[in-house]
């Protein structure tokens, strides 16, 4: 039997990819093809593709993927990865559960997993992912049956800016059964999961903003307890070739030139057999004690990016510029600056809310988003801002009741 060969072609400059710290391009030859995605068309009048991510012939993730780039795919959970009889996952467990030392060693540690892939080019990235599927619930609590997932789209359309955000790896999708997920086991990683040398999870990039988590469900659980991103070794297959001459190759949003070391390889034809989906049942995981409020939803993340706020220093002066602007887009910028920083930088979000409420000519919409933020984040600071608002207004004010609801028990 042939032994899989993993050839590292080159390092990749990841300066422009915030979700990624390091990446290499590899070429897999004589791969076992035990981990692969199989896709077929559903029917003549259905503009979706049926697909399953298979491990040793078992579907660990299932989906119906649209041809429309801004439409969301429908996804369903698959057979639990713990039942797939994959000794390669077990063989690396000790290494992958140890503290991360360096990226080169980490890639070497997962070579047995890489050998499960089909032959071809892949990018291996040291990625930072959120432990949700792009919604406001824990990633393990995705619906079992086929359901629309907003983050499973090639381009996310923002109705606020009438623009799209191209997808990139950001969120995770479970492949392990929930009855194998234990809170006590997750606590084993709790003191290490937010460190630079945190042990890595392993995931396979699927589509849109989503990655299938192959190993590290308990690490993801621990990350959610801390409200931090999950550091992950991400396997990204070729997702597209660009230009008429096919002179560029895409791995999610990483675009590389084709040259003498990396050549165009046509995609495999769609499977002729009709893919039949299977239903699996999982008991939901309790979300008590999880800091899911620290993770932006895909709408908030893409809204922030569509507003071109990535890398912008959001100050009180900039917020005042938005408040005094006649440009309708500036209200959307204000909204997404608050919603995104509510998850990523709470102190900055308080600055935005305080600036809104202290502005003399603030609109009702702006007042509402600031007050709703303070109500969601009860604290001495939030209470003082609410009290200041009530002192400056009277019971006839449109949002007097909303402000007073801060002290409501519900």
């Amino acid at each position: 039997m042939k032994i899989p060969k993993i050839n590292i072609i080159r390092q990749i400059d990841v300066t422009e990819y915030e979700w990624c710290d390091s990446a290499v391009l590899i070429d897999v030859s004589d791969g076992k093809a035990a981990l692969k995605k199989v896709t077929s068309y559903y029917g003549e009048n259905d503009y979706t593709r049926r697909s399953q991510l298979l491990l040793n012939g078992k579907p660990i993730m299932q989906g119906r993927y649209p041809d429309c780039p801004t439409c969301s795919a429908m996804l369903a959970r698959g057979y639990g990865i713990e039942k797939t009889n994959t000794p390669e996952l077990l063989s690396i467990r000790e290494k992958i559960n140890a503290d991360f030392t360096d990226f080169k060693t980490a890639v070497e540690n997962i070579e047995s997993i890489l050998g499960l892939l089909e032959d071809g080019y892949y990018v291996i990235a040291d990625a930072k992912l959120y432990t949700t599927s792009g919604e406001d619930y824990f990633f393990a609590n995705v619906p079992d049956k086929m359901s629309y997932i907003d983050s499973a789209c090639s381009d996310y359309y923002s109705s606020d800016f009438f623009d799209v955000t191209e997808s990139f790896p950001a969120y995770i999708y479970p492949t392990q059964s929930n009855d194998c997920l234990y809170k006590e086991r997750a606590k084993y990683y709790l003191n290490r999961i937010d460190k630079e040398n945190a042990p890595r999870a392993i995931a396979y990039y699927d589509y849109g903003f989503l990655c299938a988590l192959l190993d590290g469900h308990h690490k993801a659980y621990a990350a959610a307890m801390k409200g931090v991103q999950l550091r992950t070794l991400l396997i990204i297959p070729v997702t597209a070739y660009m230009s008429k001459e096919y002179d560029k190759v895409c791995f999610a949003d990483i675009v590389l030139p084709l040259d003498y070391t990396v050549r165009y390889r046509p995609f495999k034809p769609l499977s002729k057999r009709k893919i039949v989906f299977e239903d699996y049942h999982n008991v939901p995981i309790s979300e008590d004690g999880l800091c899911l409020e620290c993770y932006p939803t895909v709408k908030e993340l893409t809204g922030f990016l569509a507003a071109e706020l990535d890398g912008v220093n959001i100050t009180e002066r900039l917020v005042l510029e938005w408040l005094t602007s006649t440009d309708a887009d500036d209200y959307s910028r204000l909204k997404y600056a608050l919603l995104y920083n509510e998850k990523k930088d709470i102190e900055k979000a308080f600055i935005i809310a305080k600036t809104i409420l202290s502005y003399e000519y603030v609109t009702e919409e702006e007042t509402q988003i600031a007050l709703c933020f303070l109500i969601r984040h009860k604290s001495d600071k939030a209470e003082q801002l609410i009290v200041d608002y009530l002192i400056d207004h009277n019971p006839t004010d449109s949002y007097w009741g909303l402000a007073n609801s801060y002290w409501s028990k519900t």
Side-chain angles (χ1 to χ4, degrees):
M1 184 171 61
K2 292 183 177 179
I3 299 175
K5 300 180 185 64
I6 314 300
N7 177 34
I8 296 179
I9 299 174
R10 61 171 172 263
Q11 294 282 332
I12 298 171
D13 181 1
V14 296
T15 308
E16 61 183 288
Y17 308 110
E18 187 179 346
W19 57 269
C20 175
D21 288 332
S22 304
V24 293
L25 176 65
I26 69 168
D27 185 12
V28 176
S29 57
D30 296 328
K32 297 179 181 179
L35 176 59
K36 61 182 178 180
K37 192 168 183 178
V38 178
T39 304
S40 71
Y41 273 110
Y42 177 52
E44 293 181 2
N45 299 317
D46 187 339
Y47 298 102
T48 63
R49 292 163 282 118
R50 285 194 166 206
S51 183
Q52 290 176 324
L53 180 61
L54 302 178
L55 180 57
N56 289 330
K58 301 289 186 180
I60 57 174
M61 186 174 178
Q62 309 179 95
R64 290 177 58 174
Y65 298 83
D67 287 339
C68 167
T70 57
C71 296
S72 297
M74 297 184 72
L75 302 180
R77 297 181 66 140
Y79 194 76
I81 199 169
E82 74 281 358
K83 306 171 189 173
T84 58
N85 187 26
T86 309
E88 291 85 355
L89 277 172
L90 297 175
S91 68
I92 66 165
R93 190 141 292 172
E94 184 176 346
K95 292 180 179 178
I96 203 69
N97 288 343
D99 287 344
F100 178 87
T101 55
D102 61 88
F103 183 56
K104 181 177 181 294
T105 302
V107 174
E108 292 172 352
N109 287 342
I110 65 167
E111 281 191 354
S112 61
I113 302 301
L114 302 179
L116 296 175
L117 300 168
E118 295 182 283
D119 290 357
Y121 301 119
Y122 298 85
V123 163
I124 311 302
D126 187 19
K128 299 184 289 287
L129 305 175
Y130 298 109
T131 64
T132 71
S133 63
E135 304 298 332
D136 55 3
Y137 52 79
F138 188 42
F139 84 104
N141 289 337
V142 295
D144 291 333
K145 295 187 177 181
M146 201 66 68
S147 306
Y148 285 106
I149 302 291
D150 283 348
S151 57
C153 59
S154 180
D155 299 304
Y156 193 93
Y157 177 73
S158 172
S159 58
D160 291 284
F161 297 99
F162 303 104
D163 199 4
V164 297
T165 301
E166 294 182 0
S167 61
F168 57 91
Y171 302 99
I172 55 176
Y173 196 88
T175 65
Q176 179 179 278
S177 305
N178 280 1
D179 57 10
C180 294
L181 202 51
Y182 304 103
K183 195 169 190 176
E184 290 305 314
R185 172 61 179 166
K187 288 180 179 177
Y188 170 79
Y189 298 104
L190 208 53
N191 293 329
R192 299 189 288 156
I193 203 65
D194 56 345
K195 306 292 192 296
E196 290 286 335
N197 66 340
R200 274 24 179 190
I202 304 173
Y204 182 95
Y205 176 74
D206 182 70
Y207 178 73
F209 299 84
L210 274 181
C211 309
L213 191 60
L214 302 177
D215 182 84
H217 289 67
H218 286 102
K219 294 167 192 168
Y221 204 160
M225 290 180 191
K226 280 278 185 85
V228 298
Q229 288 178 278
L230 179 66
R231 293 186 174 273
T232 307
L233 296 176
L234 182 58
I235 304 167
I236 311 176
V238 174
T239 53
Y241 289 96
M242 293 174 60
S243 86
K244 294 180 180 179
E245 295 79 20
Y246 297 125
D247 61 359
K248 291 183 176 64
V249 58
C250 302
F251 299 85
D253 69 328
I254 294 178
V255 181
L256 302 176
L258 292 172
D259 55 23
Y260 69 94
T261 61
V262 183
R263 303 181 185 280
Y264 169 73
R265 292 174 178 171
F267 289 107
K268 284 188 175 182
L270 297 174
S271 173
K272 292 183 179 179
R273 75 175 178 86
K274 182 178 178 179
I275 292 176
V276 179
F277 296 130
E278 302 177 47
D279 289 339
Y280 302 96
H281 176 66
N282 285 274
V283 177
I285 296 291
S286 171
E287 296 183 353
D288 290 344
L290 301 185
C291 301
L292 302 178
E293 69 276 5
C294 296
Y295 301 130
T297 66
V298 67
K299 181 176 182 180
E300 291 162 350
L301 175 61
T302 55
F304 185 79
L305 296 174
E308 298 181 340
L309 296 175
D310 189 29
V312 173
N313 182 25
I314 299 173
T315 62
E316 182 179 344
R317 180 176 178 179
L318 179 58
V319 175
L320 284 172
E321 287 180 12
W322 289 334
L323 288 168
T324 57
S325 172
T326 57
D327 184 348
D329 282 348
D330 279 335
Y331 167 71
S332 295
R333 293 186 180 95
L334 181 71
K335 177 176 71 172
Y336 283 109
L338 179 58
L339 291 175
Y340 181 78
N341 280 292
E342 179 179 355
K343 309 295 181 70
K344 298 292 287 184
D345 189 339
I346 193 71
E347 293 303 317
K348 191 169 290 184
F350 269 108
I351 291 172
I352 296 170
K354 181 180 179 180
T355 306
I356 291 173
L357 295 179
S358 62
Y359 180 58
E360 183 177 2
Y361 303 106
V362 66
T363 67
E364 290 190 351
E365 291 84 357
E366 292 159 348
T367 301
Q368 183 176 10
I369 63 170
L371 290 175
C372 286
F373 160 72
L374 296 175
I375 291 168
R376 287 193 296 269
H377 294 273
K378 290 182 169 64
S379 64
D380 291 345
K381 185 183 297 185
E383 184 170 8
Q384 187 59 56
L385 289 175
I386 292 284
V387 170
D388 291 344
Y389 176 84
L390 292 173
I391 290 172
D392 292 337
H393 295 78
N394 59 61
T396 62
D397 179 76
S398 298
Y399 290 105
W400 181 268
L402 178 62
N404 273 285
S405 71
Y406 176 88
W407 292 278
S408 173
K409 292 183 180 179
T410 57

